Amino acid sequence: MTPPSRHRLIPGWRFFEPIGWKGKLGLGLLAWGSFLLGWHLLSVSGWANPRLLPSPLEVLRAMAELFGERGFGADVLVSLRRILLSFGAAVVVALPLGLLMGAFAFPENLLNPLISPFRYLPAPSFVPLLLMWLGTGEMQKLALLFLGVIWFLVTLLMDNTRAVSRDLVESAQTLGANRRQALLKVVFRSALPTYVDTIRQMLAVSWTYLVIAEIVAATDGIGAMMMRAKRLVRVDEIMAGILVIGVLGLVSDAILRGVRWGCFPYARDGRK
Amino acid sequence: MTAVATLPDYREQSPAVAERFRKLKQRPVVLSVRGLGKTFGSTEGTVTALQGLDFDVYRREFMCVIGQSGCGKSTLIRILSGLEQPTSGELLLDGKVVHGPGPDRGMVFQSYTLFPWLTVKQNVMFGPKMAGRTGTAVEQEARQWIEMVGLSDFENSYPFQLSGGMKQRVAIARALANQPRILLMDEPFGALDAQTRAQMQEYLLQIWKNIDITILFITHDLDEAVFLADRILVLKAKPGRIDEIIEVPVPRPRSLDQAIDPEYLATKHRINELIHPREQRGGGGVEIPRMTMAGDEVE
């Protein structure tokens, strides 16, 4: 039965109705195609100064040159290592705190007043302090990246823990679980898929701090390359750096989405 | 109301029924509740949820607890399961005082509480695992419990793949896998549709018949209580206390056909009188204004 034609809407304009994978792909390509085309036209038409706005093709050419002749791959690996080390440390610290603070009022009320305000302090404002305390070495960069995410990570993981169904915990207790078992086998296990979601989102934030960490007193890394390019007004190289960060961010996001999808089949969208 | 006048009083027990309950009360007491009370404190004062409850549940008895909302049914079962502490009185299981939750009292909740990350079999094995028991023997036992609730084909399914009724059957199997002394059930079929609920009631009676288990079952459904119970504990609200303990004269095995038998109706009528006193019936005195001018009158 087809509804009268004047009531029919273009797919994607019905309230809350999802669109098929073809529609998803098509619209995504449309958006990127228009963006790149607009950029290209802006650059080649002479509307914008091509030195300050190189075309997408020139950015790709610069990227190929960076990787092929200038050893940019090593810089990318340095940045990747910084993200993995600092973010890994942040997760290792935040996970037990978020679990305990979400499950029990004592650690929550002890630590949350301390941790919560730090979320409002921009991590870059710690740069002068970190330079004095840790010097200009690797530790200073790792510390900045760590400070950029740790406060949010703890509070978000705490909220994830708090959202665990109380009924599940009580069920476990009536089945004979002691406190430790209830905490680890039920609370932690139950919140795990949402922990992965939070970690994925905070990883994106970590990438956004990368350039800030590598602007100050850095000789290697994607950010340092971009600062060198700025001095030589190589906008194409700066843009290539931005592009690489974006792609790496997307890839790490996709990996964590894959982990979420593969490890928690019961918690995929729409499963109850 | 005229039909009611011809019903016998449920208390006029036939010799057979009297004998049945005399025998029941000769069995060992599994759960004994002594002077149980619970008050909740808040900034606006204290509320007495339960006051001076005294009753015994005998071995292999099926006891239902019924009462209006707010009479403390849920508080009672939460105390019995150990999830809440009473403010007065005590709780004896096989004559020993118990505190806190434990595997000796199984609990089935109204909401679906299967662990979503575990399969049906893993859910059923959860209790034994917490007690440090693992291995093929435990797995074999779990399979037997799953078979008992008729879900052998689903032992490797996840809860999200099951219907509501199936989830509750797994929850029953999971509670029984700990071999508890008593099974506490808090309106376990409350979220199910009418047909599934009727099916589940028959399932439950079958399971109860086949294994050595005592059941305390909370409900707000009169028919459910009369269909399932040996005795029905009727609670009165504000503060929650025992109104009457009804000995259900309906013979076993029970079937839905008995729902028109005089003793069934008499029992149901009595509970109805207790939990909906006459003065509270009939629209509760709310005046509803007439909002139509249409001619067709309704009775």
Side-chain angles (χ1 to χ4, degrees):
Chain A
M1 213 181 75
T2 2
S5 61
R6 67 194 175 89
H7 285 192
R8 276 163 81 180
L9 290 166
I10 304 165
W13 287 100
R14 277 182 257 263
F15 282 106
F16 307 120
E17 199 183 70
I19 206 163
W21 70 270
K22 278 182 194 161
K24 263 188 191 172
L25 190 69
L27 289 175
L29 288 176
L30 181 67
W32 274 101
S34 325
F35 172 71
L36 290 172
L37 187 70
W39 173 8
H40 184 75
L41 290 178
L42 212 59
S43 175
V44 294
S45 66
W47 256 58
N49 179 353
R51 197 170 154 76
L52 292 179
L53 186 71
S55 81
L57 291 173
E58 284 171 59
V59 172
L60 279 182
R61 205 175 301 138
M63 196 189 300
E65 190 196 312
L66 278 171
F67 276 109
E69 296 159 29
R70 310 251 302 273
F72 185 46
D75 282 310
V76 172
L77 284 181
V78 165
S79 293
L80 207 56
R81 183 175 165 274
R82 284 179 183 146
I83 292 278
L84 287 179
L85 279 179
S86 64
F87 194 74
V91 169
V92 167
V93 172
L95 212 46
L97 285 178
L99 176 65
L100 289 171
M101 288 165 69
F104 301 113
F106 187 95
E108 184 204 338
N109 288 286
L110 181 72
L111 296 176
N112 206 26
L114 198 65
I115 289 172
S116 207
F118 275 93
R119 289 178 303 164
Y120 295 95
L121 305 179
S125 64
F126 288 93
V127 167
L129 274 181
L130 293 175
L131 280 171
M132 285 193 290
W133 289 343
L134 302 168
T136 58
E138 195 64 13
M139 266 322 274
Q140 178 261 336
K141 278 135 202 104
L142 295 178
L144 179 69
L145 288 172
F146 179 86
L147 288 178
V149 294
I150 187 69
W151 320 111
F152 283 100
L153 207 48
V154 171
T155 37
L156 289 173
L157 292 174
M158 173 181 78
D159 288 341
N160 292 151
T161 310
R162 221 185 268 150
V164 168
S165 155
R166 208 157 284 217
D167 286 347
L168 287 188
V169 181
E170 291 189 338
S171 287
Q173 287 179 309
T174 62
L175 288 166
N178 58 33
R179 279 159 54 84
R180 191 190 153 80
Q181 287 169 327
L183 184 69
L184 296 178
K185 306 262 176 194
V186 178
V187 178
F188 177 77
R189 188 62 187 74
S190 183
L192 203 48
T194 57
Y195 288 160
V196 174
D197 286 336
T198 293
I199 285 170
R200 181 171 60 81
Q201 275 151 9
M202 288 314 296
L203 184 57
V205 175
S206 187
W207 279 107
T208 65
Y209 280 115
L210 179 70
V211 174
I212 294 167
E214 292 180 344
I215 277 176
V216 184
T219 52
D220 51 5
I222 302 172
M225 180 285 285
M226 286 161 71
M227 285 312 284
R228 279 198 303 272
K230 189 213 138 216
R231 262 178 252 129
L232 304 168
V233 205
R234 288 293 304 266
V235 180
D236 52 348
E237 290 185 357
I238 296 177
M239 287 184 163
I242 294 174
L243 201 62
V244 167
I245 292 178
V247 169
L248 287 175
L250 268 181
V251 169
S252 59
D253 199 86
I255 290 173
L256 283 175
R257 269 182 207 276
V259 167
R260 164 76 146 94
W261 198 83
C263 293
F264 313 110
Y266 62 88
R268 286 177 202 161
D269 278 352
R271 288 188 174 172
K272 268 276 162 202
Chain B
M1 287 293 112
T2 45
V4 161
T6 65
L7 282 176
D9 191 310
Y10 83 94
R11 277 163 292 198
E12 291 165 12
Q13 291 178 336
S14 68
V17 173
E19 175 63 11
R20 183 146 62 87
F21 284 100
R22 198 184 59 76
K23 272 187 176 162
L24 178 91
K25 287 171 197 168
Q26 280 174 352
R27 296 187 207 154
V29 173
V30 169
L31 180 78
S32 185
V33 172
R34 292 280 158 263
L36 197 76
K38 176 81 181 174
T39 47
F40 290 104
S42 72
T43 44
E44 291 108 57
T46 56
V47 181
T48 306
L50 292 171
Q51 197 174 50
L53 259 62
D54 275 294
F55 64 92
D56 291 324
V57 189
Y58 299 94
R59 184 162 173 198
R60 296 203 70 180
E61 179 178 5
F62 200 127
M63 182 182 259
C64 281
V65 178
I66 201 167
Q68 283 176 301
S69 52
C71 69
K73 303 189 287 277
S74 288
T75 308
L76 172 63
I77 204 158
R78 287 179 63 79
I79 292 174
L80 297 183
S81 67
L83 293 171
E84 289 209 34
Q85 296 303 311
T87 33
S88 60
E90 59 183 9
L91 191 69
L92 296 114
L93 196 70
D94 293 325
K96 286 183 220 92
V97 179
V98 283
H99 301 284
D104 48 4
R105 283 148 293 144
M107 175 95 165
V108 178
F109 295 77
Q110 177 176 4
S111 57
Y112 304 130
T113 56
L114 296 184
F115 303 117
W117 58 91
L118 298 178
T119 63
V120 165
K121 193 170 67 187
Q122 290 166 333
N123 262 286
V124 174
M125 285 163 64
F126 185 89
K129 233 179 142 182
M130 292 301 108
R133 297 178 56 222
T134 46
T136 45
V138 176
E139 209 172 319
Q140 214 47 51
E141 271 174 46
R143 281 216 183 84
Q144 278 171 14
W145 291 113
I146 295 166
E147 197 187 332
M148 166 163 279
V149 295
L151 290 173
S152 291
D153 292 345
F154 296 90
E155 63 172 46
N156 292 317
S157 301
Y158 284 92
F160 77 88
Q161 296 166 313
L162 307 178
S163 68
M166 288 156 93
K167 285 182 200 173
Q168 290 307 66
R169 272 145 72 188
V170 179
I172 292 169
R174 182 177 68 172
L176 290 175
N178 270 338
Q179 299 187 304
R181 295 295 296 145
I182 187 166
L183 186 61
L184 306 167
M185 307 183 83
D186 188 3
E187 302 198 36
F189 310 144
L192 305 176
D193 62 84
Q195 281 92 338
T196 312
R197 179 193 289 221
Q199 251 179 27
M200 292 291 292
Q201 290 163 358
E202 291 194 52
Y203 261 124
L204 183 61
L205 283 185
Q206 258 176 38
I207 294 169
W208 173 68
K209 206 179 107 186
N210 290 337
I211 60 172
D212 178 6
I213 188 75
T214 308
I215 298 181
L216 189 127
F217 188 106
I218 299 242
T219 180
H220 62 261
D221 179 338
L222 303 187
D223 283 296
E224 188 166 65
V226 180
F227 182 69
L228 294 174
D230 289 316
R231 294 189 300 157
I232 300 171
L233 188 81
V234 184
L235 287 186
K236 216 190 251 185
K238 287 173 194 164
R241 60 208 186 278
I242 295 175
D243 200 353
E244 193 165 303
I245 297 181
I246 291 175
E247 299 179 344
V248 181
V250 185
R252 291 190 193 274
R254 303 260 168 92
S255 78
L256 292 171
D257 303 331
Q258 290 166 318
I260 49 167
D261 290 356
E263 61 262 70
Y264 186 100
L265 292 172
T267 314
K268 203 176 142 185
H269 176 66
R270 175 63 185 159
I271 308 171
N272 203 24
E273 267 186 348
L274 288 171
I275 64 178
H276 304 293
R278 246 166 238 287
E279 61 268 25
Q280 281 181 23
R281 282 183 236 168
V286 179
E287 192 87 12
I288 297 168
R290 189 179 170 84
M291 303 199 36
T292 172
M293 304 293 277
D296 288 343
E297 297 297 332
V298 289
E299 285 278 318

